[in-house]
Amino acid sequence: MKHEKIETNSGLLIVLTLIVISIGGLVEIVPLYLIDSTVETVKVEGKDTIRPYTPLELAGRDIYLREGCYTCHSQMIRPFRDEALRYGHYSLAAESQYDHPFQWGSKRTGPDLARVGGKYSNQWHVQHLIAPRSVVPESIMPNYPWLMDTLLRYKDMPARMRALKKVGVPYSETEEEYQANVERFGEEVAGWLDIRRAEQNLLKQAVAGNYDGDNSDVTEMDALVAYLQVLGTMVDFSKFDEGYFASFR
Amino acid sequence: MSSKETHKPAVQTTGHAWDGDLQEFNNPLPRWWLWAFYATVVFAVIYWVIYPAWPLGRDYTKGLFNTITYETSDGRQVETHWNTRARFLREMQAARAKQEQILQRLAGVPYQEIAADRELSAFAYSMAKVLFADNCAACHQSGGAGVAGLYPNLADDAWLWGGTYAEIEQTIRNGRRGFMPSFARALDEQQLDDVATFVLSLSGFEVDPEAARRGGAIFNGQAGGCYYCHTHEGTGMTSQGAANLTDAVWTVARVQATAGVEANKEAVKAVIRKGIQREMPAWAGRLDDTEIRILTFYVHQLGGGQ
């Protein structure tokens, strides 16, 4: 084909450009959907141990996105010795399979948060989020005092869960889907994933966890701390052989 | 401008003209650039052969002549195609093997022996400093001095849960919950005032003896029941994590030797009124046994280990 033909026909030029640049994308992305070992199987006693977020954790994750925490924090521990020594076991693909969008990131102004769950107490998180420099004097993390005073909006949790369900996250809305979740995750987890009980579940977890130390109301702080405390805690690595996860690569 | 005559090199054009006279030369690429380009092509082909590269439906090419051998936790040798996770395992195992002797000794010998051995203690100390900075300093601060009221000072010689190696190890391994109930309902303002006066008297503050006597009765009687956790003498109980009230070390109440008795009484009252709930996280799942031992040794050394 002559240069001139392409260069004088912008419609054709656009189409051909799209074809050329999509080859790179297709070659890199499509196989990951096909190759069986992309997402690891992580089962203990026949049940999936990695589950979608509960309504409260999900609300917390939405606040994490809204506040732009990801601009300074990654959630992806790479398989290098120095990272393992500091943060813990490297991240599995399976651990972010229900994250839409995933929070891997690459900018680490602050530390990686992929395994921050259980590292600190709720009380520490609350204080650190309100005033980071009161516990880490050299911190450059911003203050987020409003999280403590802002009531959590949770009436639309069912809608947010339904949206994620559309892209493949196994929240349940019918009895059949619920039973499938019981089969897959066990009864307790299946209960948390039921959209019909979203509001009730959210309040139950907020009261039982008392994440912000004040049980008179459910604030955005409750949700965000619940989210931080679950990060990286779903897989008990002591139950797997060291080589098991390498066999998926 | 006759000297700078514009040369018209004998180069081909791409063959079309815009706006009547705009043409595009078709110069050959610089040699060095071209060879560098061929070199990257050759590199890519070698890379495809050696490393995992091409998708094949549900599988992919695994790379040739390039395997990694690592050991599973039950000691089997596994050989696998090159991948970052196997490489990571090998890297971890190689580092462990290098430090094996010293780590084994750290894991096995009694703490007193670590302290007595120069090489062992220097190694433990340097490792502990990093571990402490990554995991503990956010609460206990970098030198272990803590945050008044919130996170206890580990560098002093007052211990809530005990300062022996075994007790410190237990604290780090399983975590601790410091709990004292709120007395806002159980005690009225006068009683609070009296019992706070008594508490201050225990560590040698000059207070009104009459109020302290009344406070002592509350402390050691049914109304307060403080003795139940703090003992009759107020010396505390490490099994409960209950603070020793007879020393001059304050871990929760903002009592200062330089402040007046009234201000200090208010600080103690605030604690009794509100109660205490503090949590030290458990590290057993997060740090391995040797790391916990190393930290125990370090914290014991920081101050006043028993």
Side-chain angles (χ1 to χ4, degrees), chain A residues 207-219:
Chain A
V207 170
N210 193 13
Y211 296 93
D212 68 359
D214 171 5
N215 245 346
S216 63
D217 50 18
V218 180
T219 60

Side-chain angles (χ1 to χ4, degrees), chain A residues 4 7-8 31 34-36 40 79-81 84 90 115 117 119-120 124 127 135 137 241-243 245 249, chain B residues 16 18 55 57-58 60 70 72-73 81 83 85 87-89 91-92 95 134 138-139 141 150-151 281 283 286:
Chain A
E4 192 163 358
E7 289 179 15
T8 53
L34 300 175
I35 294 171
D36 294 329
E40 308 85 352
F80 301 139
R81 180 161 177 265
Y90 59 75
R115 298 215 185 281
K119 183 178 179 190
Y120 300 120
W124 185 88
Q127 192 190 350
V135 273
D241 184 273
E242 284 194 50
F245 294 111
R249 286 293 175 271
Chain B
H16 51 225
W18 301 97
R58 300 199 156 276
Y60 51 92
Y70 62 86
T72 59
S73 11
H81 65 272
N83 70 78
R85 291 181 178 183
R87 196 192 53 179
F88 164 76
L89 281 183
E91 199 184 330
M92 294 295 280
D134 283 350
C139 293
Q141 308 299 300
L150 295 169
Y151 305 110
W283 295 86
R286 201 169 255 283

Side-chain angles (χ1 to χ4, degrees), chain B residues 16-294:
Chain B
H16 51 225
W18 301 97
D19 283 346
D21 60 348
L22 272 181
Q23 286 182 305
E24 209 180 335
F25 287 147
N26 195 4
N27 278 312
L29 291 160
R31 268 295 143 87
W32 68 265
W33 193 96
L34 200 62
W35 284 112
F37 175 68
Y38 290 145
T40 61
V41 173
V42 173
F43 175 85
V45 173
I46 297 173
Y47 189 94
W48 293 340
V49 175
I50 297 180
Y51 288 93
W54 286 98
L56 306 167
R58 300 199 156 276
D59 209 351
Y60 51 92
T61 59
K62 308 271 156 120
L64 298 173
F65 328 114
N66 191 11
T67 60
I68 291 184
T69 307
Y70 62 86
E71 209 178 288
T72 59
S73 11
D74 51 6
R76 274 179 306 123
Q77 296 284 323
V78 175
E79 189 177 353
T80 172
H81 65 272
W82 187 94
N83 70 78
T84 48
R85 291 181 178 183
R87 196 192 53 179
F88 164 76
L89 281 183
R90 196 183 54 182
E91 199 184 330
M92 294 295 280
Q93 285 164 0
R96 221 177 292 158
K98 231 198 246 161
Q99 301 174 337
E100 176 138 17
Q101 268 198 330
I102 201 154
L103 286 179
Q104 249 170 20
R105 279 172 67 205
L106 278 174
V109 304
Y111 284 108
Q112 285 77 3
E113 233 167 274
I114 303 179
D117 184 317
R118 278 262 271 318
E119 189 200 8
L120 264 189
S121 57
F123 181 84
Y125 196 80
S126 65
M127 243 180 109
K129 266 184 90 160
V130 177
L131 284 170
F132 195 86
D134 283 350
N135 298 293
C136 323
C139 293
H140 294 290
Q141 308 299 300
S142 40
V147 179
L150 295 169
Y151 305 110
N153 185 341
L154 302 180
D156 61 15
D157 46 5
W159 297 92
L160 291 161
W161 298 95
T164 65
Y165 285 116
E167 285 163 326
I168 296 173
E169 184 178 323
Q170 179 79 359
T171 299
I172 300 173
R173 189 177 295 281
N174 301 330
R176 300 284 195 188
R177 275 171 193 274
F179 174 76
M180 171 166 135
S182 149
F183 287 91
R185 292 228 189 89
L187 302 177
D188 63 27
E189 199 54 31
Q190 181 60 46
Q191 288 173 308
L192 278 173
D193 212 85
D194 291 345
V195 81
T197 308
F198 173 72
V199 167
L200 285 176
S201 76
L202 288 173
S203 52
F205 279 92
E206 293 284 336
V207 293
D208 169 9
E210 189 47 33
R213 197 193 52 75
R214 286 195 307 267
I218 297 167
F219 194 93
N220 283 314
Q222 284 311 309
C226 319
Y227 69 97
Y228 185 76
C229 297
H230 289 285
T231 75
H232 285 293
E233 296 74 35
T235 46
M237 214 185 272
T238 51
S239 63
Q240 305 288 315
N244 180 349
L245 304 176
T246 63
D247 59 14
V249 179
W250 298 89
T251 174
V252 185
R254 304 273 185 127
V255 173
Q256 279 151 345
T258 49
V261 170
E262 279 310 310
N264 284 337
K265 201 161 69 184
E266 282 311 312
V268 173
K269 269 165 76 178
V271 170
I272 303 170
R273 201 181 283 126
K274 187 152 177 278
I276 303 167
Q277 247 180 312
R278 299 200 298 187
E279 184 192 344
M280 156 79 185
W283 295 86
R286 201 169 255 283
L287 302 174
D288 68 30
D289 287 354
T290 317
E291 288 171 326
I292 290 176
R293 278 179 67 88
I294 287 169

Side-chain angles (χ1 to χ4, degrees), chain A residues 28-230:
Chain A
E28 294 224 327
I29 297 166
V30 172
L32 295 178
Y33 283 98
L34 300 175
I35 294 171
D36 294 329
S37 57
T38 303
V39 179
E40 308 85 352
T41 312
V42 190
K43 282 186 191 295
V44 174
E45 285 157 15
K47 302 284 184 214
D48 275 11
T49 71
I50 298 171
R51 57 161 176 79
Y53 296 122
T54 64
L56 186 66
E57 292 156 10
L58 184 62
R61 194 200 69 128
D62 288 347
I63 293 162
Y64 185 91
L65 297 188
R66 183 193 74 197
E67 298 297 347
C69 311
Y70 58 84
T71 54
C72 289
H73 292 288
S74 61
Q75 286 186 26
M76 160 59 85
I77 304 168
R78 296 168 294 180
F80 301 139
R81 180 161 177 265
D82 54 342
E83 299 219 349
L85 292 181
R86 173 157 183 199
Y87 299 121
H89 198 285
Y90 59 75
S91 297
L92 303 178
E95 287 179 292
S96 35
Q97 64 183 314
Y98 303 125
D99 262 2
H100 297 281
F102 60 76
Q103 296 301 313
W104 301 341
S106 58
K107 181 78 174 72
R108 282 185 182 163
T109 302
D112 189 276
L113 297 182
R115 298 215 185 281
V116 82
K119 183 178 179 190
Y120 300 120
S121 54
N122 295 341
Q123 190 191 26
W124 185 88
H125 279 299
V126 171
Q127 192 190 350
H128 180 252
L129 284 165
I130 293 174
R133 273 152 299 281
S134 68
V135 273
V136 184
E138 69 278 12
S139 180
I140 53 160
M141 178 162 139
N143 300 342
Y144 295 91
W146 57 85
L147 297 174
M148 197 65 193
D149 322 319
T150 315
L151 293 181
L152 183 68
R153 266 185 47 215
Y154 55 81
K155 295 281 173 224
D156 56 353
M157 281 328 290
R160 291 193 231 174
M161 290 164 84
R162 249 177 245 125
L164 286 169
K165 183 160 172 271
K166 282 214 169 92
V167 291
V169 179
Y171 290 117
S172 65
E173 203 156 21
T174 65
E175 198 49 33
E176 209 179 348
E177 287 163 349
Y178 169 74
Q179 287 305 334
N181 277 347
V182 172
E183 189 64 25
R184 181 167 172 188
F185 299 104
E187 188 151 348
E188 195 195 331
V189 172
W192 290 110
L193 305 183
D194 197 345
I195 299 179
R196 298 167 295 182
R197 281 183 257 168
E199 219 171 286
Q200 175 195 339
N201 275 339
L202 183 140
L203 294 173
K204 188 170 87 179
Q205 188 182 358
V207 170
N210 193 13
Y211 296 93
D212 68 359
D214 171 5
N215 245 346
S216 63
D217 50 18
V218 180
T219 60
E220 296 192 337
M221 186 65 90
D222 279 305
L224 184 57
V225 174
Y227 170 69
L228 291 172
Q229 290 291 32
V230 80

